[in-house]
Amino acid sequence: MPIQDIRTQHAHWSGIGRHAVMAETNQEETARLNHMMALYRHLRENVYAGNKLAYDKRVEPDFVKRHGRKPKDRHEIREAMLADPFYRLWAHLRRDTQETVWMARQPVVERQRTALAKKAHVAKPKYGSLHLDPDLKAPRYQSAFDMHWMPGGYHADEGAGDVAQAAIYDLGSLYVSTGGKMGPWNDGPAQSVIRWLKDKYPAFQPKKLLDEGCTVGHSTVAYCGAWPGVEVHGLDFSAPVVRYAHARAESLGRPVHYHQALAEDTKFPDASFDLVLSSMFLHETSRKAVYAIAAEARRILKPGGLMLHVEQPQFHQLPTPWSQFENDWDTHNNNEPFWGPMHDMDLEDVAMKAGFRKQDIFQENAPFIMPRPDGRLEVAKGGYWFFFGAWKR
Ligand SMILES: C[S@@+](CC[C@H](N)C(=O)[O-])C[C@H]1O[C@@H](n2cnc3c(N)ncnc32)[C@H](O)[C@@H]1O
């Protein structure tokens, strides 16, 4: 593989996806985030491939010599790879990049913490609404640690309009770590859902939808106007996150109703929604929560409604133990302990226990839509999202 010069890489964050509530960055802070984006990309595009070379040339032959067979699953590959110097170097750099990116964001937000809370206070919402629940407790699978090393996770809340955790998450956001694959507004998952539903189920025209685990509303706002007259709701357990999401949506002129609530216990009446969906959410909950979230989704769906969760593929769908090992990095190194267990779950069982009929459940790969900075929606070559869902009859 040709080694690219890191300076020739063009993709920079440079404030793409800015809105009125985002933390402001000075030149040096912007440069640091651009550097982080280049580093993530360099590791992914130029360095990462060395892991497979190490595996093929050293690690697997050595394993075969010792055991008389190849590694049978991702766990055995991981054990063997942990001893390899190239893998250890790459893994160190990858993990260090992830920790450093938060260090590049947190001080920027800290120095503006009070100002951001003020900016995010919407005295008279023009388009949507915000519903907070001061009695809500963060689930332990969120509050016990800092998800993907983000200091304070989604849960830290100083009260009085605090939005710091959301502002940290949103600064550069997934655009920086994925090399722009999610699009300037980080709404790639929503664009993928919209395209898939319109292509596959053109007659399905949801009038009211709920986006669960919506964070700052990257995906949520993209659903506004996706179907004629659709009423869009977003839900997240974290108060800073929904405060910020509300202010962000208002500043962008998008009508979204945000709720601080648990996806396991939304408090909505039965049969409230035509579409209950989420993106990149289930893997940040727990096994028990996934069952409860599906049951609650079914309860709040109208008959004829759809539950749809956007994720990465389940391990059993990946073709080789090597690709399963590749997909398990976050479980062990990115403080995402439920990533592995969730991607091992029997999702048909989850949906059936929630009350959906076997024939109404689906698990399939959908095209990965990559929104480009110029507004084009490109279908990524070779990439896909995993869609898990079920229709309520
Ligand atoms: C990776 S983020 C989701 C990203 C977002 N869906 C998007 O497309 O940009 C996961 C979110 O789920 C929220 N969350 C985790 N557990 C939850 C629960 N039980 N109920 C509601 N929200 C939850 C977290 O606060 C966090 O904001």
Side-chain angles (χ1 to χ4, degrees):
M1 167 187 250
I3 302 293
Q4 287 177 29
D5 182 334
I6 197 164
R7 288 163 302 178
T8 66
Q9 296 179 349
H10 302 299
H12 289 312
W13 168 67
S14 291
I16 283 172
R18 251 195 202 292
H19 52 84
V21 201
M22 187 179 268
E24 279 164 24
T25 46
N26 60 32
Q27 203 179 2
E28 194 181 319
E29 291 160 346
T30 304
R32 200 167 298 134
L33 282 163
N34 285 337
H35 167 74
M36 294 313 300
M37 185 164 173
L39 193 54
Y40 270 114
R41 195 168 166 184
H42 180 61
L43 288 176
R44 191 171 46 241
E45 294 182 5
N46 297 328
V47 185
Y48 181 73
N51 287 322
K52 187 67 165 67
L53 285 180
Y55 182 66
D56 289 344
K57 288 205 181 314
R58 284 193 298 271
V59 178
E60 190 186 73
D62 183 57
F63 187 97
V64 171
K65 219 185 275 168
R66 284 186 289 118
H67 299 274
R69 60 171 176 83
K70 291 183 178 188
K72 64 176 186 300
D73 56 25
R74 68 182 200 267
H75 306 293
E76 285 193 350
I77 294 184
R78 177 166 178 268
E79 275 302 308
M81 286 296 280
L82 281 174
D84 185 78
F86 183 88
Y87 176 70
R88 289 167 74 101
L89 176 65
W90 171 83
H92 168 78
L93 291 171
R94 171 70 183 77
R95 160 75 175 269
D96 191 59
T97 307
Q98 181 72 359
E99 290 193 35
T100 310
V101 84
W102 299 119
M103 285 157 65
R105 289 169 174 161
Q106 196 181 20
V108 179
V109 169
E110 279 305 330
R111 70 175 165 76
Q112 303 172 54
R113 195 165 191 144
T114 312
L116 283 170
K118 273 197 195 129
K119 269 193 202 174
H121 176 70
V122 185
K124 276 199 188 141
K126 266 203 199 150
Y127 306 98
S129 58
L130 175 64
H131 308 269
L132 294 171
D133 175 358
D135 296 327
L136 190 98
K137 295 250 172 322
R140 208 180 122 60
Y141 55 77
Q142 285 286 330
S143 61
F145 59 96
D146 290 346
M147 190 62 78
H148 39 57
W149 303 119
M150 184 166 97
Y154 303 102
H155 56 278
D157 180 11
E158 289 199 349
D162 183 32
V163 293
Q165 295 314 113
I168 292 170
Y169 176 91
D170 191 35
L171 190 60
S173 195
L174 293 169
Y175 197 82
V176 165
S177 52
T178 65
K181 263 169 69 177
M182 301 282 179
W185 297 95
N186 298 292
D187 61 354
Q191 300 297 352
S192 305
V193 166
I194 295 166
R195 171 80 63 94
W196 182 82
L197 276 174
K198 288 191 173 183
D199 283 355
K200 205 161 169 169
Y201 302 101
F204 181 61
Q205 303 267 320
K207 290 267 169 268
K208 193 169 167 185
L209 70 80
L210 175 67
D211 182 19
E212 301 186 319
C214 62
T215 323
V216 300
H218 287 150
S219 292
T220 326
V221 297
Y223 293 117
C224 296
W227 294 276
V230 67
E231 185 180 303
V232 177
H233 294 250
L235 170 152
D236 204 289
F237 85 84
S238 158
V241 150
V242 283
R243 287 183 193 119
Y244 184 96
H246 172 58
R248 178 179 181 270
E250 289 292 312
S251 82
L252 297 171
R254 302 295 181 92
V256 181
H257 305 282
Y258 283 104
H259 308 261
Q260 182 192 9
L262 286 173
E264 296 93 317
D265 180 18
T266 62
K267 314 284 188 216
F268 291 114
D270 292 357
S272 294
F273 295 96
D274 305 293
L275 178 57
V276 174
L277 41 74
S278 79
S279 36
M280 306 175 291
F281 164 56
L282 293 183
H283 71 261
E284 290 193 1
T285 68
S286 68
R287 257 187 80 82
K288 202 171 143 201
V290 172
Y291 277 93
I293 288 165
E296 178 69 351
R298 188 175 180 282
R299 184 187 72 74
I300 60 176
L301 274 175
K302 296 177 191 166
L306 173 67
M307 170 183 84
L308 176 57
H309 299 285
V310 178
E311 272 293 339
Q312 299 288 328
Q314 295 297 89
F315 285 115
H316 70 84
Q317 296 173 300
L318 295 167
T320 59
W322 173 260
S323 49
Q324 293 167 11
F325 159 73
E326 284 184 299
N327 235 37
D328 202 16
W329 194 83
D330 295 74
T331 315
H332 305 283
N333 303 287
N334 200 23
N335 229 15
E336 298 214 30
F338 302 111
W339 176 277
M342 186 263 139
H343 289 292
D344 267 337
M345 281 177 82
D346 176 352
L347 295 176
E348 186 175 276
D349 184 60
V350 169
M352 287 182 70
K353 294 244 162 68
F356 293 100
R357 300 186 317 179
K358 190 177 167 78
Q359 61 269 39
D360 297 327
I361 301 167
F362 57 86
Q363 299 182 58
E364 64 180 78
N365 296 333
F368 188 111
I369 303 295
M370 243 178 3
R372 309 306 305 175
D374 62 9
R376 276 177 309 118
L377 294 177
E378 211 172 280
V379 180
K381 286 192 196 80
Y384 57 85
W385 286 109
F386 168 67
F387 283 8
F388 156 56
W391 295 91
K392 177 172 174 177
R393 299 298 176 195

